[in-house]
Amino acid sequence: MRHAPLPATFFASHRARLQALLPAGALAVVGSNDVLPRNADGVLPLVPQADLFYLTGIEQEESVLVLAPTALDEAMRAVLFLRKPDPDTTVIEGDKLSEEQATEISGIATIRWLSDLPMLLHKLMCEMELVYLNSNEHLRAEIVIETREARFVRELMARYPLHRYCRLARLMHSLRVIKSPEEVALMRQALAITRSGFLRVLSELHPGMNECEVEALYAYEFTRQRGFFAYNPIIASGLSACTLHYNRNDQPCRDGELLLLDVAASYANYNADLTRTIPVSGRFSARQRQVYDAVLRLQRALIAAARPGLLWRDWQRLAEDLACEALAGLGLLPTGQLARDRSGRSPCKRYFMHGVGHPIGLDVHDVGHLTQPFANGWAITVEPGFYIPEEGLGIRLEDIIVIADDAPINLMAEVPIEAEAIEQALARPRP
Ligand code: GLY
Ligand code: MN
Ligand code: MN
């Protein structure tokens, strides 16, 4: 792992929260993600399974956590199964976790090798009644392969068809959506790394620089500070900013254009998500500034409205209603025609076609119950944008806030966002 070690108590507290939700006689199983193949004999880097990391701190492939809080044998109430280190693998892949290291990371006393899993799981299945298994229940997930966890669910249900099976994801979402102060501190670390990447871009950007050179500036800052890219960076100059998930990042940044930067780091598996839009020349044109300020006002209004009790649906509606007024003020929508159509679609969708934000944490688009009202401790993004292809510009501004009673806490308060602050940071002699 690239990040500094985290205290085992961090993960133990998450297990305690889950155990409190499990009824008597319940067994829960969480496993690693697959190491996915590339072409030929290549593999992609392992993406640590977020629930497994949340509950154990383990980032190693083929690991399995079994929780049975009411098992008769106290040693079987929390068991971590790992690949057994062997010299053939070590010489290629390096060391795997020892039992002692796994205990030190996770705080779990009972560590077993994977070869013991069938026999010990059978013992627990014979004792327990309810089996909580994991599945990807993210609202927008499109899963076209059978994942490791889906294979496990299929095989266990075939072997033990008469148990009662339950959805672990529902419980995990309700835990993970509320961020503890320790989790917020890790997100702040990801944000600090993100900020330094952005400041480096502000200090080095000049007309003619290629988008991929801008990406390299972020990569340098993120990697040397033990971070990773949280998602494929979007570095989009001019018209490309109107492609929401643009990530070719291969065009020159031209004088007079805006550059949309949706780039952020992760640290210790916790993600940041930041978007800023800046003028390549160092100064906004009058029209760019007009649109920029409208997006910034919209973002501020949405942050102010994000209070405990609010429903996502109502926040999105507010965003669309305010966006309509702003777009009319910019001459982009006719003032008299701002009503929704018969299907409820807002006219603002022509220029602001995406959601206002999403939960963020161990996943960039994090899990959470989106039908439930905002609650203290939710970390969410606020990311309105206006995309105007006919004017060759797209502007999005994205911050992360934590919902709190008094007022939301903006974790990006230290990242320049005012047009003047951006221009000031860009004000220097340019090649
Ligand atoms: N960067 C991905 C997003 O903003 O949702
Ligand atoms: Mn986002
Ligand atoms: Mn983003």
Side-chain angles (χ1 to χ4, degrees):
M1 63 192 176
R2 197 179 263 184
H3 58 87
L6 302 174
T9 48
F10 177 64
F11 305 109
S13 70
H14 297 163
R15 287 196 299 281
R17 289 176 69 201
L18 175 59
Q19 284 171 9
L21 297 180
L22 291 173
L27 173 73
V29 186
V30 183
S32 298
N33 284 329
D34 272 317
V35 176
L36 294 172
R38 315 175 56 119
N39 292 327
D41 65 348
V43 291
L44 293 167
L46 175 73
V47 176
Q49 210 284 348
D51 294 323
L52 183 69
F53 181 79
Y54 182 83
L55 295 169
T56 66
I58 297 295
E59 298 167 84
Q60 183 169 287
E61 70 286 352
E62 298 181 38
S63 310
V64 179
L65 170 69
V66 178
L67 293 174
T70 55
L72 189 61
D73 180 351
E74 283 180 25
M76 290 297 111
R77 291 181 182 173
V79 189
L80 193 53
F81 294 86
L82 299 177
R83 271 180 85 159
K84 185 173 181 183
D86 77 85
D88 289 348
T89 317
T90 303
V91 76
I92 299 171
E93 298 179 15
D95 288 333
K96 298 293 166 187
L97 292 173
S98 67
E99 291 159 290
E100 294 73 23
Q101 287 170 324
T103 295
E104 196 179 321
I105 293 169
S106 65
I108 295 174
T110 309
I111 310 291
R112 296 297 188 96
W113 304 130
L114 265 183
S115 50
D116 290 342
L117 178 61
M119 180 263 295
L120 287 175
L121 191 57
H122 180 69
K123 224 172 128 186
L124 287 170
M125 288 297 280
C126 292
E127 184 180 345
M128 298 298 157
E129 176 65 27
L130 296 166
V131 187
Y132 283 77
L133 297 182
N134 221 354
S135 62
N136 184 341
E137 297 185 14
H138 194 285
L139 199 60
R140 292 187 357 212
E142 285 178 39
I143 302 163
V144 295
I145 55 165
E146 187 178 45
T147 60
R148 191 174 188 81
E149 73 194 1
R151 289 199 301 280
F152 181 80
V153 169
R154 177 169 53 72
E155 289 164 10
L156 197 74
M157 291 179 77
R159 168 86 174 82
Y160 302 97
L162 300 182
H163 279 71
R164 280 198 283 145
Y165 289 90
C166 305
R167 294 158 54 205
L168 184 62
R170 204 173 52 83
L171 306 186
M172 293 307 303
H173 291 197
S174 68
L175 295 177
R176 281 177 49 196
V177 74
I178 308 276
K179 271 61 182 185
S180 66
E182 294 78 11
E183 289 183 286
V184 172
L186 289 169
M187 291 177 66
R188 282 189 188 276
Q189 274 186 267
L191 286 165
I193 298 170
T194 302
R195 175 175 175 269
S196 59
F198 177 59
L199 296 184
R200 180 169 280 272
V201 172
L202 286 178
S203 72
E204 297 202 19
L205 178 69
H206 56 81
M209 195 176 221
N210 195 286
E211 292 163 355
C212 64
E213 294 176 87
V214 175
E215 180 175 331
L217 298 175
Y218 282 106
Y220 177 74
E221 284 298 331
F222 290 4
T223 310
R224 81 189 185 93
Q225 296 186 56
R226 302 177 170 273
F228 291 94
F229 280 106
Y231 48 87
N232 286 337
I234 299 169
I235 299 171
S237 56
L239 181 62
S240 300
C242 296
T243 301
L244 297 181
H245 288 176
Y246 175 86
N247 49 38
R248 282 177 50 179
N249 302 352
D250 63 355
Q251 295 299 303
C253 306
R254 296 190 178 85
D255 215 355
E257 287 179 342
L258 293 183
L259 176 64
L260 186 152
L261 301 160
D262 186 347
V263 189
S266 67
Y267 177 79
N269 297 307
Y270 281 85
N271 294 288
D273 190 359
L274 175 77
T275 308
R276 291 291 183 265
T277 308
I278 64 178
V280 173
S281 69
R283 303 273 303 175
F284 291 96
S285 70
R287 175 62 172 171
Q288 289 167 348
R289 176 69 192 265
Q290 196 185 20
V291 180
Y292 188 94
D293 285 346
V295 176
L296 182 56
R297 275 194 301 275
L298 176 57
Q299 197 221 29
R300 294 219 160 122
L302 293 169
I303 291 176
R307 294 302 175 94
L310 186 69
L311 288 172
W312 275 105
R313 185 196 56 195
D314 295 340
W315 199 41
Q316 180 70 35
R317 274 186 86 87
L318 173 69
E320 292 173 2
D321 291 347
L322 294 176
C324 278
E325 287 168 27
L327 290 164
L330 293 169
L332 292 164
L333 292 179
T335 313
Q337 296 171 33
L338 302 182
R340 291 167 188 275
D341 69 14
R342 287 157 68 102
S343 68
R345 186 179 164 84
S346 164
C348 82
K349 289 283 183 192
R350 176 164 168 204
Y351 296 106
F352 171 33
M353 60 295 282
H354 56 76
V356 62
H358 51 84
I360 179 155
L362 281 173
D363 286 299
V364 176
H365 291 177
D366 210 19
V367 295
H369 296 303
L370 300 188
T371 50
Q372 290 183 4
F374 288 13
N376 284 349
W378 280 26
I380 59 175
T381 66
V382 191
E383 49 180 301
F386 291 162
Y387 310 90
I388 316 169
E390 56 270 33
E391 298 185 29
L393 66 95
I395 296 176
R396 175 161 70 253
L397 296 172
E398 178 173 25
D399 283 342
I400 296 176
I401 60 170
V402 178
I403 303 295
D405 269 336
D406 298 339
I409 302 158
N410 190 337
L411 301 186
M412 258 80 153
E414 304 294 309
V415 184
I417 191 166
E418 295 277 359
E420 291 85 359
I422 298 283
E423 287 184 342
Q424 209 171 4
L426 287 166
R428 67 193 140 73
R430 278 146 199 284

